[in-house]
Amino acid sequence: MLIKIRTPRHPRENEVTPKELYLSRRRFLAGSAGLALGTTLGARLGLTPGVARAAAMANPLAGAIAQAPKGGPAISEPVTSKGDATSYNNFYEFGSGKGDPEERSGDFHPLPWTLTIDGEVEKPLTLGFEDLVPADALEERIYRLRCVEAWSMVIPWTGFSLSRLIERAKPLSSAKYVAFETVVRPEEMPGQRTGLLDWPYREGLRMDEAMHPLTLMAVGMYGDPLPNQNGAPIRLVVPWKYGFKSIKSVVRISLVKEEPPTTWNMTNAREYGFYSNVNPQVDHPRWSQAKERRIGDFLRRDTLMFNGYEEEVAGLYTGMDLRKFY
Ligand code: MTE
């Protein structure tokens, strides 16, 4: 018997419902659902489920996030609306649809949270959420984030350089790569009750990429704690790589000797390499990466080498064949 196995994959941009159509459908559905669920707190407040959860959650860093000073490279492009950045997401733990993370993350309770740093370190650490963030290191950085599906956003994140966290565990010289894992809580994450991906979601960086000052651990966006759908309470943001490298809701960071397995590479190695640097000259096997659509814009724009961070990060890849190490 021939069994056809459907490999999970990123849709290409023209397979995704156009953002404007998708949002107008959602507004209609939200209106109907609001009438039907008139007794819930979220509906009474006029909030969607993800936002209701964020409002109910007492995040000990909320004040510090709201007051974080500005940092990071200057960016002249307009910031994407908060509504768009929190309603059009990829977070397969809540489903593969763009609206699933917002609509289906209401049962996720990010706090309390612990994050473990282990592996090739002198001092393995398990830290509670409030102890993770060096008080003097929180800042707001506006980064471009470009998805492999050829859409992009510009988002003000609040966070701190990952290097600050790694240094606290005292890395050994044998540490060559960094492996990241997302929390596994199938009872709170409906996508994890399916075989959509091999859980936990995993990502990896080379040690020098992880220690680069642009590599951010984010705990907030738009001056507020991260909403569930964007990776509460703490996620990675690597602005020169395709969005899937920016792993959400991180519980473990392991320093390792060998290149670690990563979710999308395990799922489809031909389409997703370990490096996944934004590169307009190296196409995805099923579509071009030369252009992208900024969410909110009508026309496409040229994709920039390393997503516009060439000056800062090109030196990490000197002498490497970026077609081979895609
Ligand atoms: N992290 C986890 N744990 N699970 C995921 O499915 N999706 C990735 C990445 N991080 C994903 C994840 C992909 S494909 C993208 S494009 C970005 O998150 C999207 O981040 P955003 O929703 O905040 O824009």
Side-chain angles (χ1 to χ4, degrees):
M1 190 171 62
L2 190 66
I3 300 175
K4 194 169 176 224
I5 298 173
R6 208 173 147 264
T7 314
R9 61 181 180 97
H10 278 105
R12 50 186 299 177
E13 204 220 358
N14 65 9
E15 294 170 340
V16 175
T17 312
K19 172 76 184 161
E20 280 64 34
L21 178 61
Y22 159 84
L23 279 179
S24 63
R25 253 190 233 156
R26 274 179 50 81
R27 276 181 209 113
F28 172 77
L29 289 172
S32 332
L35 287 176
L37 301 172
T39 53
T40 66
L41 177 67
R44 267 189 277 129
L45 295 175
L47 301 175
T48 53
V51 180
R53 160 66 50 211
M57 178 172 89
N59 187 307
L61 296 179
I65 291 169
Q67 286 161 26
K70 306 227 177 300
I75 195 164
S76 53
E77 296 142 42
V79 161
T80 301
S81 82
K82 184 179 179 183
D84 284 354
T86 56
S87 64
Y88 192 77
N89 304 100
N90 278 328
F91 199 169
Y92 279 61
E93 283 81 344
F94 297 107
S96 59
K98 300 289 177 231
D100 290 344
E102 186 192 27
E103 283 164 17
R104 304 176 75 203
S105 64
D107 288 336
F108 181 56
H109 302 267
L111 297 173
W113 192 261
T114 55
L115 192 155
T116 297
I117 308 168
D118 61 8
E120 302 296 309
V121 294
E122 219 175 278
K123 210 174 127 202
L125 295 170
T126 293
L127 298 167
F129 179 69
E130 46 295 337
D131 302 323
L132 278 170
V133 182
D136 60 330
L138 256 199
E139 56 183 32
E140 184 178 81
R141 298 188 196 167
I142 302 179
Y143 280 169
R144 297 178 201 93
L145 186 89
R146 189 203 188 274
C147 183
V148 73
E149 294 159 4
W151 48 265
S152 61
M153 302 198 195
V154 174
I155 295 178
W157 302 102
T158 308
F160 57 97
S161 292
L162 169 63
S163 62
R164 294 287 301 264
L165 200 52
I166 292 181
E167 274 158 10
R168 285 163 73 185
K170 301 197 186 314
L172 298 171
S173 58
S174 50
K176 303 292 183 219
Y177 293 87
V178 184
F180 302 84
E181 275 180 28
T182 291
V183 73
V184 177
R185 292 192 195 162
E187 62 291 0
E188 296 181 16
M189 300 175 130
Q192 286 184 341
R193 302 199 284 269
T194 72
L196 198 52
L197 293 173
D198 186 6
W199 314 110
Y201 193 97
R202 298 180 184 87
E203 257 313 330
L205 294 174
R206 217 170 54 191
M207 189 68 181
D208 57 347
E209 297 176 324
M211 298 304 279
H212 192 281
L214 281 185
T215 303
L216 189 78
M217 289 308 288
V219 292
M221 60 194 293
Y222 299 88
D224 290 322
L226 282 182
N228 287 349
Q229 60 269 33
N230 293 83
I234 184 161
R235 69 175 287 175
L236 184 70
V237 186
V238 194
W240 70 94
K241 293 184 180 274
Y242 291 116
F244 64 88
K245 300 294 285 182
S246 291
I247 182 173
K248 298 173 169 179
S249 306
V250 176
V251 283
R252 181 178 296 272
I253 298 179
S254 305
L255 276 58
V256 294
K257 292 179 182 167
E258 310 285 342
E259 188 182 288
T262 59
T263 289
W264 284 103
N265 182 253
M266 287 159 64
T267 307
N268 189 340
R270 203 175 80 86
E271 298 195 358
Y272 309 107
F274 176 79
Y275 282 91
S276 298
N277 292 319
V278 174
N279 188 340
Q281 289 144 30
V282 178
D283 290 338
H284 181 279
R286 289 185 286 128
W287 62 85
S288 161
Q289 294 291 19
K291 291 198 178 279
E292 69 199 55
R293 190 185 310 281
R294 182 67 47 83
I295 295 293
D297 284 3
F298 180 67
L299 295 174
R300 286 164 178 257
R301 63 177 66 209
D302 289 341
T303 287
L304 303 174
M305 188 64 200
F306 295 114
N307 205 20
Y309 300 95
E310 187 168 11
E311 201 180 307
E312 290 92 341
V313 303
L316 294 171
Y317 309 102
T318 311
M320 279 177 70
D321 177 351
L322 298 180
R323 288 189 178 274
K324 187 169 168 211
F325 299 101
Y326 58 97

